[in-house]
């Protein structure tokens, strides 16, 4: 049993998929999904429902992945205090409770699922979210961790997507066009690119859903099918990458290395054996040693996970070890 119920959707798409002309699009897309859907057009509908049910939500955009998640603490809403205009889920509260799935989790899943079924990408919200992205970017400029990360990116192979500017800012997302407060002016094609990104990347074959609740697996599955059943299936994906001819001719030990991004290597030999010295914003003394490693999901090491052994040896704090001092 659990007092908290939750769910998460993991999308196999991140800022590596940003188009060259729209740095930060995946990050911007993550922001815009929260701002209304066809079924629940009100901006505050999702967050408001979670808040009334003792829950919260968040999301993050990574290099190859984007994750959305929420939690609720099921409460007794039998008194009918929920004043939502959209009451499709609430009308079935009694049935849901009898089936063992809380009204809180069912209602949250119904609202959550619409992100991946019918988001609005409301043009009136574009300007505000562009400014929110730009604010994140400007705040990060004084972060030493972020600055060294950007330095690392800038020293990588420009033909590899690791070199992309994943955060984005107002200029990169609008092609230096002022959207205007109404959001109805020319936006440099940002909204059209958002819709295209969603259509291409946000399909069932590119996503995974995890639901954690009090009910039985059969009961949870039934609610998932009811709420997420209209997610577009997309095309089946290949489970094993095909090694390129160049990698075979080079007799690489790890067959998937450099095969994913047009054979581009993020850090080729010319980018290694380098020392970079940085003057930090804050007073600190830090040393970072970075190693180029083979893909962690390569079939030759996915089971043995040798990097865990290296991590243990380097991170052990016993007497005489590096981290002991």
């Amino acid at each position: 049993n659990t007092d908290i119920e939750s769910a998460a959707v993991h999308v196999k798409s991140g800022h590596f998929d940003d188009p060259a002309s729209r740095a930060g699009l995946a990050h911007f897309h993550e922001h815009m999904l929260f701002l209304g859907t066809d079924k629940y057009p009100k901006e505050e509908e999702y967050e408001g429902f979670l808040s009334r049910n003792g829950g919260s939500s968040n999301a993050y955009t990574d290099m190859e992945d984007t994750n959305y998640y929420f939690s609720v603490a099921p409460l007794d809403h039998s008194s009918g205090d929920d004043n939502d205009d959209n009451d499709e889920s609430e009308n079935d509260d009694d049935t849901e409770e009898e089936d063992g799935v809380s009204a809180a989790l069912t209602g949250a899943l119904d609202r959550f699922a619409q992100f991946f079924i019918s988001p609005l990408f409301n043009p009136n919200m574009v300007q505000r979210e562009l400014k929110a992205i730009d604010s994140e970017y400007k705040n990060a400029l004084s972060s030493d961790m972020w600055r060294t990360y950007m330095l690392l990116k800038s020293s990588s192979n420009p033909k590899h997507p690791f070199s992309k500017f994943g955060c984005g800012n107002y200029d990169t997302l609008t092609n230096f066009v002022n959207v205007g407060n109404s959001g109805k002016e020319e936006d440099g094609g940002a909204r059209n690119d958002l819709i295209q990104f969603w259509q291409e990347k946000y399909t069932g074959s590119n996503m995974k859903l995890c639901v954690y609740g009090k009910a039985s697996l059969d009961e949870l599955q039934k609610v998932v099918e009811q709420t997420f059943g209209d997610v577009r299936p997309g095309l089946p994906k290949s489970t094993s990458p095909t090694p390129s001819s160049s990698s075979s001719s080079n007799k690489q030990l790890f067959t998937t290395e450099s095969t994913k991004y047009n054979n581009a290597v993020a850090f080729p030999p010319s980018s290694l054996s380098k020392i970079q010295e940085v003057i930090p914003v804050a007073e600190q003394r830090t040393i970072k040693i970075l190693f180029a490693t083979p893909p962690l999901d390569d079939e030759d090491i996915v089971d043995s996970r040798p990097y865990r052994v290296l991590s243990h040896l380097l991170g052990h704090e016993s007497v005489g070890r590096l981290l002991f001092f």
Side-chain angles (χ1 to χ4, degrees):
N1 290 334
T2 175
D3 293 329
I4 300 294
E5 298 183 311
S6 60
V9 165
H10 193 83
V11 185
K12 195 64 177 175
S13 180
H15 81 250
F16 277 12
D17 294 310
D18 287 348
S21 60
R22 195 78 63 186
L25 183 67
H27 184 201
F28 183 38
H29 180 276
E30 172 214 312
H31 278 237
M32 292 296 294
L33 274 194
F34 284 83
L35 303 179
T37 61
D38 283 343
K39 187 174 183 179
Y40 299 103
K42 290 184 178 180
E43 175 190 350
E44 71 282 359
E45 173 61 38
Y46 174 64
E47 295 287 355
F49 182 87
L50 295 180
S51 178
R52 291 191 298 276
N53 287 276
S56 62
S57 73
N58 211 333
Y60 63 84
T61 303
D62 210 334
M63 290 178 280
E64 298 179 303
D65 312 270
T66 304
N67 191 280
Y68 304 83
Y69 55 95
F70 74 81
S71 64
V72 289
L75 304 171
D76 181 6
H77 288 289
S78 58
S79 59
D81 291 336
D82 197 341
N83 295 320
D84 295 335
D85 292 336
N86 301 91
D87 57 359
E88 290 90 339
S89 298
E90 287 74 16
N91 288 339
D92 297 326
D93 280 359
D94 292 337
T95 301
E96 291 160 2
E97 294 293 352
E98 290 175 2
D99 288 344
V101 181
S102 70
L105 181 59
T106 302
L109 284 172
D110 192 40
R111 289 159 176 79
F112 189 42
Q114 296 304 309
F115 287 16
F116 314 102
I117 297 172
S118 59
L120 290 177
F121 298 115
N122 191 331
N124 294 321
M125 305 291 186
V126 168
Q127 172 75 346
R128 190 190 69 187
E129 292 310 307
L130 285 170
K131 289 184 175 180
I133 296 286
D134 202 56
S135 178
E136 286 187 40
Y137 159 71
K138 290 176 178 176
N139 289 336
L141 291 176
S142 59
S143 165
D144 284 311
M145 182 175 69
W146 192 81
R147 287 158 66 94
T148 54
Y149 179 52
M150 289 298 105
L151 177 62
L152 179 67
K153 277 177 158 287
S154 67
S155 62
S156 66
N157 182 358
K159 294 181 180 180
H160 191 280
F162 181 76
S163 63
K164 290 185 177 183
F165 176 40
C167 175
N169 60 28
Y170 194 99
D171 291 335
T172 66
L173 287 166
T174 63
N175 288 329
F176 298 88
V177 173
N178 191 331
V179 176
N181 291 328
S182 68
K184 297 179 180 179
E185 298 178 23
E186 176 60 44
D187 65 358
R191 185 173 181 274
N192 289 337
D193 283 354
L194 282 174
I195 295 172
Q196 182 178 351
F197 188 88
W198 182 85
Q199 290 174 338
E200 292 179 356
K201 306 299 182 183
Y202 278 59
T203 61
S205 60
N206 208 36
M207 297 159 47
K208 290 185 177 180
L209 168 67
C210 178
V211 178
Y212 180 68
K214 294 181 177 181
S216 69
L217 288 177
D218 287 342
E219 292 164 340
L220 291 173
Q221 180 178 338
K222 179 181 177 181
V223 172
V224 167
E225 291 173 349
Q226 291 171 346
T227 54
F228 279 82
D230 289 332
V231 172
R232 296 169 301 126
L235 298 174
K237 290 189 171 294
S238 173
T239 56
S240 57
T242 303
S244 66
S245 58
S246 61
S247 66
S248 298
S249 62
N250 290 333
K251 297 181 179 179
Q252 291 185 170
L253 176 61
F254 302 102
T255 56
T256 60
E257 192 165 8
S258 309
T259 62
K260 191 170 185 179
Y261 298 107
N262 297 319
N263 298 324
V265 180
F267 292 93
S270 60
S271 297
L272 303 177
S273 301
K274 302 287 187 181
I275 296 178
Q276 295 177 326
E277 297 180 337
V278 179
I279 299 176
V281 175
E283 183 67 26
Q284 58 179 300
R285 300 289 185 270
T286 304
I287 183 171
K288 293 184 179 180
I289 303 176
L290 305 178
F291 300 89
T293 65
L296 301 184
D297 59 353
D298 189 278
E299 60 183 10
D300 291 324
I301 60 174
V302 68
D303 293 326
S304 59
R305 299 188 292 178
Y307 54 89
R308 295 291 298 272
V309 178
L310 292 173
S311 176
H312 174 76
L313 292 175
L314 292 173
H316 205 282
E317 299 181 10
S318 60
V319 176
R321 301 280 185 174
L322 181 63
L323 293 184
F324 173 76
F325 300 97

